[in-house]
Amino acid sequence: MSVAVDNQIEHIEPGSVLPETIRLLFEDRLGEQTEPTAFALADVAPSGQFGQAWVVLGDGQLAVADLNRADGPELRLTPLESNVELEILEGVGSSRFRVVRDGKLTEELRFSQRQAKRFSQLLRRGQTHIRGQEQGEQAESPAGPEQEEKFCDKCGRLIPDWAEACPRCLQKRRILWRLLSFAWPYKRWLIVGMGSALAVTLLQLVPPKLTQFLIDYVLQEPKDGAPPDRGLLWTLIGVLGDKQGSAHRPDLLWPLIAGLACIVILRVGFQYLRLNRLAKLSELMTHDLRTAAFAHLQKLSLTFFNKKPTGHLISRITHDTDRLWDFVAFGIVELVMSSVVVLGIAVILFREEPILAALTMVPIPIGMVLTYFHTVAIRRFFHRLWTKWSRMTSVLSDAIPGVRVVKAFRQEDREVARFTGRSEAFVGDAMDLHAEWTTYWPKVMFLLNLGTLIIWAYAGPKIIKGSDHLTLGTFVMFLGYVWMFYGPIEQLGMMNRMFQRAATSAQRVFEVLDTQPTIYSKSSAVAKHRIAGSVTFEDVCFSYDGVKRVLEDVSFHVDAGQMIGLAGPSGGGKTTMVNLICRFYDVIEGRILIDGTDVRDLDLYELRSQIGVVLQEPYLFRGTIAENIAYGNERADMATIITASKAANAHDFIVGFPDGYDTIVGERGQTLSGGERQRISIARAILNNPRILILDEATSSVDSKTEMKIQEAIDRLVEGRTTFAIAHRLSTLRKADRLIILDKGRIVEQGTHEELLGKEDGLYAKLHTTQAELQSMFAV
């Protein structure tokens, strides 16, 4: 393989556009009117090295453009007829895409896991076309169009599913402008705060000018005895005494002191208004942002939570929003104030002494260059720090809820070592950031002090020689303004660090807000306030990762009010099936109907309000028992709660607690036994009065006595409801109207308990026999 091909492979991303050379080769054989419907790159050669062979689907044919041959590209075509089979053999390092025709292997291409999703999409579309040919109709995917992957126009990188734009190229300023949009509801406080900040800034510019006048015309007489040409300031001061103005005004000493005192008092008052209003504003802004992010999390699908560690999400909602408070309360105002001060002082200095002002500006361009490179460096550091912080938080979110397991296996030291390692990784990057910061700042300080030395060196000799234009008062005023000028520049340098931290945190929060839920109600969704409960699966296929199928061509119908038992080996797809009924996920192919309507066409809120779920490990929230029972219906009164708990066989043990229904269950209900938690979970489901009930191993982790009480409660719960019960303990499914046995994502058997036991070679009969033998062994 040539170097050119190898380099080309290095930059190929899954889902990238089909190369022009391959497209032309494809159109040359099939015609220009043929549009590829799917394609994938087999990036592993038969030798095991990097290779390049493109698989293209179009016009009912599968084309393979093999670029691994030494004698040039070769295009091989396979018509997708009923005698063709497509399959993927999954491997660890690489997988194989195979084409079998009339029982003979005609193509076998290897690809890395990087290309797995594309090959899975191509396989589904190809199989759909073949099934359509077998049925004598044109194949169409029931799942509808698949979401195409997006790539950034600037950097060419794949844009994640959750992102609105490329996170690497997203402009920080645009993020912060979006952050400020949260201040709009509190615009009155914002106007008062920013107006007060502006007033403080303008008042800050007055004292040096008063100092110049005090030295040159109050404390001493000017050389020529003429009144100073100081425009508005001299006119205003003249109002206090001789309106004609005079050169020497010692009588204005106390009025100037009084004026300075007034300025100080006004500055303190405006400073209070600024801090008070903006601090409250930023607190409310970050509250709104934090609440909006958490509320949006509740709308997101389970797929999002499966991909994101809990610690990362907690860090975004808490740590990142807290950083934004500091930036909004102080950073933005300091940025505005510093900019106004720098601009105002620059105008004053150039008006007073242009040459000296120009010399004052000499260090600034150098400082701007240093600041630019410093910004690039710390931006990278802050991204790394955020990642390390999230990893450290993830350890906490694992170890604290799982503290019982940690202590049971005596792994306290291991968890401490794990947390210490993550913390040390964070500290290491933080040290690198501080090294960059502490190296940058002394350089800036040196440049600023260099500007002061330039002023001294230029102005000192002129004052000693008695310059007509540069008086002692002007020199003192100049120094005062220069220090005021360099102070904001220092502040802007420090603000750069705060700006980058805030921009990084805001980006993380907005990534959550920009994530679109994959499961949602359509605008035309049907709101069924009361469903009958019939459920139909039609050729349902599903995959969590887009590669490995968990369900394959599952079809069955359940009448309203029937109880269906789901059984089979672990990993067969039982829990996935009930997850699809709840619409926690959407099918890839096929459809699920409730009362004859596709679940994707039903209002999501109304659908889930009529589905009750009792899990193997019931989750209780920290609060009272009554609050947990009424979790699905906040308006339920105590009488309704007690009725539900009695139906769930929970009332007797609840009233046995000192606080009864007001007993605090603790985090995740750990103060209760497993059987007690399960019965409270059943009471919660009964109170919600669902039309479809899902029982996922509801009695598998309790003793026989508790199981009997739970089973009695379940018998009451299933009456008149469509029920799906998952159980590995097959004896609990005897009362089911029908059993569905799943294995490797397919339905292998259906029937009643007696019918399936009658099939001696059947999977259900084998599982039942195995369980009976195990129970007899333990009984002995």
Side-chain angles (χ1 to χ4, degrees):
M1 183 176 57
S2 65
V3 177
V5 173
D6 200 11
N7 289 338
Q8 184 179 3
I9 293 172
E10 183 181 354
H11 293 90
I12 289 174
E13 291 283 352
S16 58
V17 296
L18 191 66
E20 189 64 22
T21 54
I22 304 300
R23 180 180 294 274
L24 293 175
L25 186 64
F26 179 77
E27 292 178 352
D28 182 59
R29 293 290 298 274
L30 295 180
E32 295 182 0
Q33 303 301 322
T34 301
E35 184 69 22
T37 58
F39 57 87
L41 170 64
D43 56 352
V44 180
S47 62
Q49 299 176 342
F50 284 111
Q52 189 173 179
W54 288 88
V55 185
V56 183
L57 180 66
D59 194 27
Q61 299 197 64
L62 188 76
V64 177
D66 191 352
L67 305 185
N68 298 316
R69 298 173 59 89
D71 54 352
E74 178 186 13
L75 185 68
R76 302 187 292 270
L77 299 177
T78 302
L80 294 181
E81 300 172 345
S82 57
N83 61 340
V84 175
E85 296 180 8
L86 305 178
E87 60 183 7
I88 291 178
L89 301 181
E90 297 182 7
V92 179
S94 63
S95 300
R96 299 172 186 268
F97 177 80
R98 294 161 55 102
V99 180
V100 179
R101 187 173 186 179
D102 294 325
K104 297 181 181 180
L105 180 65
T106 59
E107 294 283 357
E108 185 175 66
L109 303 169
R110 296 176 61 184
F111 59 92
S112 67
Q113 295 304 315
R114 189 182 187 187
Q115 312 293 339
K117 188 174 182 179
R118 274 284 164 181
F119 268 101
S120 179
Q121 294 173 354
L122 186 143
L123 176 71
R124 288 200 303 270
R125 293 188 179 183
Q127 289 178 337
T128 302
H129 182 86
I130 293 173
R131 285 198 298 268
Q133 293 297 318
E134 292 174 349
Q135 298 169 5
E137 57 186 18
Q138 187 175 358
E140 292 183 0
S141 174
E146 298 178 12
Q147 184 178 0
E148 295 295 332
E149 294 163 321
K150 301 177 293 182
F151 290 83
C152 178
D153 295 332
K154 293 182 179 179
C155 65
R157 294 184 177 92
L158 180 67
I159 299 177
D161 296 336
W162 45 259
E164 183 180 352
C166 179
R168 297 174 181 265
C169 302
L170 197 61
Q171 294 181 359
K172 304 292 183 182
R173 291 179 180 83
R174 204 172 85 186
I175 294 175
L176 294 178
W177 274 116
R178 184 178 175 187
L179 173 64
L180 292 179
S181 66
F182 280 81
W184 185 247
Y186 314 102
K187 52 183 176 294
R188 292 179 60 184
W189 285 12
L190 179 64
I191 293 171
V192 173
M194 295 301 294
S196 300
L198 182 61
V200 170
T201 303
L202 296 177
L203 289 172
Q204 184 180 353
L205 299 177
V206 177
K209 195 68 177 175
L210 292 180
T211 302
Q212 177 203 16
F213 187 88
L214 181 69
I215 293 175
D216 287 344
Y217 303 104
V218 177
L219 299 182
Q220 64 179 9
E221 294 188 26
K223 296 176 183 178
D224 54 5
D229 181 16
R230 296 295 180 247
L232 180 62
L233 178 61
W234 180 254
T235 302
L236 292 176
I237 293 178
V239 175
L240 299 175
D242 181 8
K243 294 185 178 181
Q244 300 299 320
S246 63
H248 189 211
R249 296 295 304 275
D251 58 304
L252 293 181
L253 174 62
W254 290 108
L256 286 174
I257 294 174
L260 186 60
C262 290
I263 290 174
V264 171
I265 293 172
L266 286 174
R267 284 186 61 189
V268 171
F270 283 121
Q271 192 77 310
Y272 165 76
L273 284 176
R274 168 213 158 189
L275 295 175
N276 180 272
R277 293 298 182 268
L278 292 180
K280 292 181 179 180
L281 166 68
S282 60
E283 194 68 63
L284 291 172
M285 276 183 60
T286 51
H287 163 73
D288 291 347
L289 184 61
R290 185 165 51 240
T291 304
F294 182 76
H296 190 73
L297 275 179
Q298 305 308 307
K299 299 178 183 178
L300 298 182
S301 314
L302 290 183
T303 305
F304 175 82
F305 294 95
N306 294 339
K307 296 178 180 179
K308 298 290 183 182
T310 304
H312 286 213
L313 299 178
I314 293 175
S315 179
R316 296 187 188 204
I317 304 300
T318 57
H319 182 67
D320 285 328
T321 53
D322 187 63
R323 280 185 172 179
L324 295 176
W325 178 91
D326 185 58
F327 176 73
V328 173
F330 304 105
I332 295 177
V333 178
E334 292 295 337
L335 180 64
V336 174
M337 290 177 62
S338 298
S339 301
V340 172
V341 168
V342 168
L343 180 62
I345 292 177
V347 172
I348 294 173
L349 292 184
F350 275 99
R351 184 177 180 276
E352 290 287 342
E353 194 66 39
I355 297 177
L356 191 56
L359 292 174
T360 305
M361 307 295 172
V362 168
I364 294 179
I366 304 175
M368 292 176 64
V369 173
L370 290 176
T371 300
Y372 170 78
F373 287 106
H374 173 68
T375 300
V376 173
I378 65 172
R379 183 183 304 166
R380 182 177 65 254
F381 281 122
F382 278 125
H383 277 284
R384 287 165 50 186
L385 280 173
W386 185 91
T387 302
K388 298 293 177 62
W389 181 273
S390 298
R391 290 176 180 174
M392 184 174 63
T393 310
S394 296
V395 177
L396 296 176
S397 62
D398 280 344
I400 294 178
V403 65
R404 288 192 176 188
V405 177
V406 173
K407 291 184 177 299
F409 288 90
R410 308 178 311 281
Q411 294 300 310
E412 294 90 344
D413 293 340
R414 177 182 178 181
E415 293 302 323
V416 170
R418 192 158 71 106
F419 180 80
T420 303
R422 300 285 176 88
S423 181
E424 287 176 349
F426 175 82
V427 171
D429 280 349
M431 290 298 182
D432 292 339
L433 173 63
H434 295 320
E436 169 63 29
W437 171 253
T438 53
T439 302
Y440 159 78
W441 193 242
K443 297 175 183 177
V444 175
M445 292 298 296
F446 172 77
L447 289 172
L448 298 182
N449 284 281
L450 181 62
T452 305
L453 293 176
I454 293 174
I455 295 173
W456 281 60
Y458 176 82
K462 289 185 175 294
I463 293 174
I464 292 174
K465 293 178 181 179
S467 172
D468 295 334
H469 300 285
L470 196 57
T471 63
L472 179 60
T474 302
F475 177 65
V476 173
M477 178 204 69
F478 220 97
L479 285 178
Y481 277 131
V482 164
W483 281 112
M484 289 175 61
F485 182 78
Y486 286 152
I489 291 180
E490 292 180 19
Q491 189 68 29
L492 290 173
M494 297 177 65
M495 279 296 303
N496 184 44
R497 184 167 180 258
M498 183 183 292
F499 177 87
Q500 294 301 326
R501 285 180 55 178
T504 301
S505 294
Q507 179 179 342
R508 300 297 179 183
V509 175
F510 287 134
E511 282 176 359
V512 174
L513 291 174
D514 288 342
T515 302
Q516 298 300 317
T518 56
I519 308 297
Y520 56 90
S521 297
K522 297 179 180 178
S523 57
S524 58
V526 179
K528 287 191 175 183
H529 301 291
R530 195 66 175 170
I531 63 176
S534 67
V535 179
T536 304
F537 275 58
E538 292 184 356
D539 300 322
V540 169
C541 299
F542 179 74
S543 172
Y544 287 103
D545 57 5
V547 178
K548 183 179 180 181
R549 291 200 175 192
V550 182
L551 292 179
E552 182 76 29
D553 295 328
V554 174
S555 298
F556 63 88
H557 174 75
V558 178
D559 292 328
Q562 282 190 324
M563 180 178 179
I564 302 298
L566 300 177
S570 297
K574 301 181 292 296
T575 301
T576 299
M577 183 181 292
V578 296
N579 284 340
L580 293 176
I581 296 174
C582 297
R583 210 185 163 207
F584 293 148
Y585 306 93
D586 274 341
V587 300
I588 293 177
E589 294 180 9
R591 58 179 184 162
I592 299 174
L593 308 176
I594 293 182
D595 293 350
T597 304
D598 194 319
V599 292
R600 290 170 292 191
D601 295 328
L602 292 174
D603 181 81
L604 188 60
Y605 179 83
E606 292 291 342
L607 171 65
R608 290 179 181 170
S609 68
Q610 301 185 67
I611 297 177
V613 181
V614 179
L615 301 174
Q616 178 181 2
E617 290 294 333
Y619 191 100
L620 301 184
F621 296 90
R622 181 173 179 83
T624 66
I625 291 177
E627 289 171 344
N628 274 279
I629 294 176
Y631 188 76
N633 185 359
E634 297 178 355
R635 294 173 294 180
D637 55 22
M638 184 54 67
T640 307
I641 293 173
I642 292 174
T643 301
S645 64
K646 287 181 177 179
N649 283 342
H651 179 72
D652 292 340
F653 80 80
I654 292 175
V655 296
F657 293 127
D659 295 326
Y661 283 85
D662 292 328
T663 301
I664 301 296
V665 301
E667 188 175 1
R668 303 194 181 194
Q670 293 301 322
T671 59
L672 304 178
S673 69
E676 291 170 342
R677 291 198 301 271
Q678 192 63 278
R679 278 177 278 176
I680 290 176
S681 176
I682 293 174
R684 182 166 59 192
I686 291 175
L687 187 140
N688 202 36
N689 193 24
R691 298 302 305 146
I692 297 176
L693 179 65
I694 293 172
L695 305 173
D696 190 353
E697 297 284 353
T699 62
S700 64
S701 57
V702 296
D703 58 83
S704 300
K705 185 177 179 180
T706 303
E707 179 185 1
M708 185 172 61
K709 293 183 178 180
I710 293 176
Q711 194 61 52
E712 291 176 359
I714 290 177
D715 291 342
R716 299 190 192 102
L717 181 58
V718 301
E719 291 179 2
R721 296 181 172 89
T722 305
T723 304
F724 291 86
I726 300 174
H728 286 102
R729 194 180 298 177
L730 302 182
S731 58
T732 62
L733 300 178
R734 291 175 180 268
K735 298 180 181 180
D737 297 305
R738 186 161 91 250
L739 300 180
I740 295 178
I741 313 303
L742 292 165
D743 186 22
K744 297 180 181 179
R746 294 180 178 272
I747 296 179
V748 294
E749 292 178 338
Q750 290 191 64
T752 64
H753 174 74
E754 291 75 15
E755 290 173 351
L756 295 182
L757 283 182
K759 299 179 181 179
E760 297 182 358
D761 295 334
L763 178 60
Y764 181 79
K766 292 180 181 178
L767 292 174
H768 192 275
T769 301
T770 302
Q771 286 192 8
E773 292 175 351
L774 288 174
Q775 290 177 357
S776 63
M777 290 173 58
F778 284 115
V780 174

